[in-house]
Each structure stands twice: as structure tokens, then as C-alpha cells.
Amino acid sequence: MMDSVALSCKVCTSWQGLLLTVSLLTCWLIPTTSQLTIKSVPPIAVEGENILLFVHNLPKNVKVFSWFTGARVLKSCEIATHVIAVNATVIGFSHSGRETLFKNGSLLIKSVTSKDSGYYTLRIIDATSRPEIIRTEFFVHSPLLGYKKHLTPSRLTIALVPPRVEENINIILWVFHMPKNLQAFAWHKGVLPLDHLKIASHSFLTNSTMLGHAYYDRLTVRNDGSLLLLNVTKNDTGLYTLRTISVDLKLEWAIIDVQVNKH
């Protein structure tokens, strides 16, 4: 499955916890080099949540990539393989129906359980047929007492309009089911809530919008939370994340993958 996919989850948090999480992400998740890396977002999940194994710096000459459960490259452990030249994905024996591959190599696993904990292996093959293997690990724990009520799946979703994107057209990342009683929302380019990746944030308390470092003049943030991109280019390709926080400090987020094609 390689279509644009929105990922939603809901957690209950405090401002202190949110700031601590952002601080930790800043220190831990920013790669210091252009080396291929994988980060689990979040690194520790509660059963029922979604996990994104985010691939950073996938080489441009990659022809094929495959994901496997466990720490070994075995056919019986294969989740899926994607062939970039024909934009085709082949499902493996370990695909449970909850996994989605993104074109940047990332892997989304929905509604995780404790059985999903452990190692995951990514194998990439470049134009010289030279394989490279990299592993990551994440943990899933059972809900804490009183936490289950916060695991209601979020309805926040993002739709790409039009669904097929070509260069030099205008597109909308259309937001549906925006939570009620919102305090603020923010858009980021990528999946990490870091200042240098922020496009813009809007506060309903002050009815004001602040532009971020990733903002440029072809972008417009609409009052309903949707994001308008004018005259898109290949540089606009990638993941976009919308985060919302309500007046009772509940955080929701959704991710969409935008792929810009040549005419």
C-alpha cells in the first residue's frame, strides 16, 4: 500500500510533558550526519496506538527496499518489498494487514500490540545491487490503569486534493474531523515537532498565526486547519504532520505523504 496515508493518534498530556518530549526529541532524533537512520515515533507506545518507523536520508539511488520483522533478513519474516522503478509493493509472509510502506522507506504499523515489540530490519538495494541493512527497535506496553479512556481512535484525518499531484499545480492538504474546543494547531514538514521543521502554528486563544522556519510564500494555512500549497515542485515531496491541542490539553496528530510527480 503506497497511497497517501493519514496517521492519527490521540494522547492525553500536560504542557510540561509535551515540552519534555519535544526537548528529548530535539536531543535524540536529529541525525548529525547524512547517514541512513531509522527512528521509531514514538519510541515507546501503548497498545492500540500507531507506530511510524521513520527512515531518514534514504539514498537517491535505491532501487528496492524491504522490511522484515526481527533482526535477520529471512523470507519468512518479510513484511513487504517495494520496487521503486515500477512503484509496486509485494506483500510478504509477515504482513498482518496493519502495515503501510511510504515511498521514503518509512513503515507505519497501526494498532500495535505487545507482540509487535522488538527489532525490525530494513534492507535497501541500490543501482549497483549492493545491499545495505539497518535495524531499529521499539517497545509496546499495556495501557496503564485509567489510561484506556484516552485510547479512543482519533478521527482527525488529512486528505490530499487532488489525490495525484503533479508539478506546478495547487494542492490542499484538507483536514477533516478537527477536534472541538481547540487551543492551537501546528503544521510541520516531516514527523518531528521541531522548530526548524515548523511551517506555521495557529492559536485560537489569540486568533493569531505564527510562521515557522519551514514556511515559504507558496503556503497558506486556512482557518479550518487545512494547508494550501501553490505551484508545487519536487521539493514539496515528503511527509507533512498536523498537530492539535485542545483546551483540556489533549494532543492529536495526523500524517500525510505527499508525492509530487513530473508531468
Side-chain angles (χ1 to χ4, degrees), residues 66-69 74-82 89-97 99 101:
S66 305
W67 276 99
F68 301 83
T69 58
L74 300 174
K75 194 67 176 177
S76 60
C77 299
E78 182 182 7
I79 298 172
T81 292
H82 181 68
T89 300
V90 180
I91 302 303
F93 291 109
S94 288
H95 194 281
S96 68
E99 296 86 359
L101 273 66

Side-chain angles (χ1 to χ4, degrees), residues 140-199:
V140 181
H141 63 80
S142 299
L144 302 175
L145 184 63
Y147 187 83
K148 287 186 178 181
K149 64 182 180 180
H150 302 305
L151 294 182
T152 304
S154 171
R155 298 181 66 211
L156 180 65
T157 54
I158 308 171
L160 185 59
V161 181
R164 176 177 171 80
V165 180
E166 295 184 347
E167 288 182 309
N168 301 318
I169 70 169
N170 301 335
I171 66 171
I172 298 178
L173 307 187
W174 209 307
V175 177
F176 294 91
H177 307 302
M178 201 72 151
K180 296 181 180 180
N181 302 318
L182 274 186
Q183 184 174 159
F185 68 81
W187 278 98
H188 290 79
K189 179 72 181 293
V191 299
L192 306 180
L194 306 177
D195 281 345
H196 72 282
L197 299 177
K198 185 167 73 173
I199 296 170

Side-chain angles (χ1 to χ4, degrees), residues 107-171:
L107 174 68
L108 167 65
I109 307 174
K110 296 182 178 180
S111 302
V112 294
T113 70
S114 58
K115 294 181 180 179
D116 294 315
S117 297
Y119 283 101
Y120 286 77
T121 300
L122 172 66
R123 181 186 65 188
I124 64 174
I125 298 177
D126 61 20
T128 66
S129 298
R130 180 181 62 87
E132 181 177 352
I133 294 173
I134 185 171
R135 298 174 181 84
T136 189
E137 184 180 21
F138 69 83
F139 301 94
V140 181
H141 63 80
S142 299
L144 302 175
L145 184 63
Y147 187 83
K148 287 186 178 181
K149 64 182 180 180
H150 302 305
L151 294 182
T152 304
S154 171
R155 298 181 66 211
L156 180 65
T157 54
I158 308 171
L160 185 59
V161 181
R164 176 177 171 80
V165 180
E166 295 184 347
E167 288 182 309
N168 301 318
I169 70 169
N170 301 335
I171 66 171

Side-chain angles (χ1 to χ4, degrees), residues 10-55:
K10 179 183 289 186
V11 295
C12 182
T13 183
S14 65
W15 277 113
Q16 291 87 347
L18 181 59
L19 291 173
L20 175 60
T21 301
V22 173
S23 176
L24 290 174
L25 283 169
T26 303
C27 297
W28 180 59
L29 287 177
I30 299 179
T32 55
T33 69
S34 60
Q35 182 179 4
L36 177 66
T37 58
I38 305 172
K39 299 299 180 184
S40 173
V41 182
I44 300 177
V46 176
E47 287 186 331
E49 291 183 335
N50 301 325
I51 285 279
L52 180 69
L53 301 182
F54 177 62
V55 175

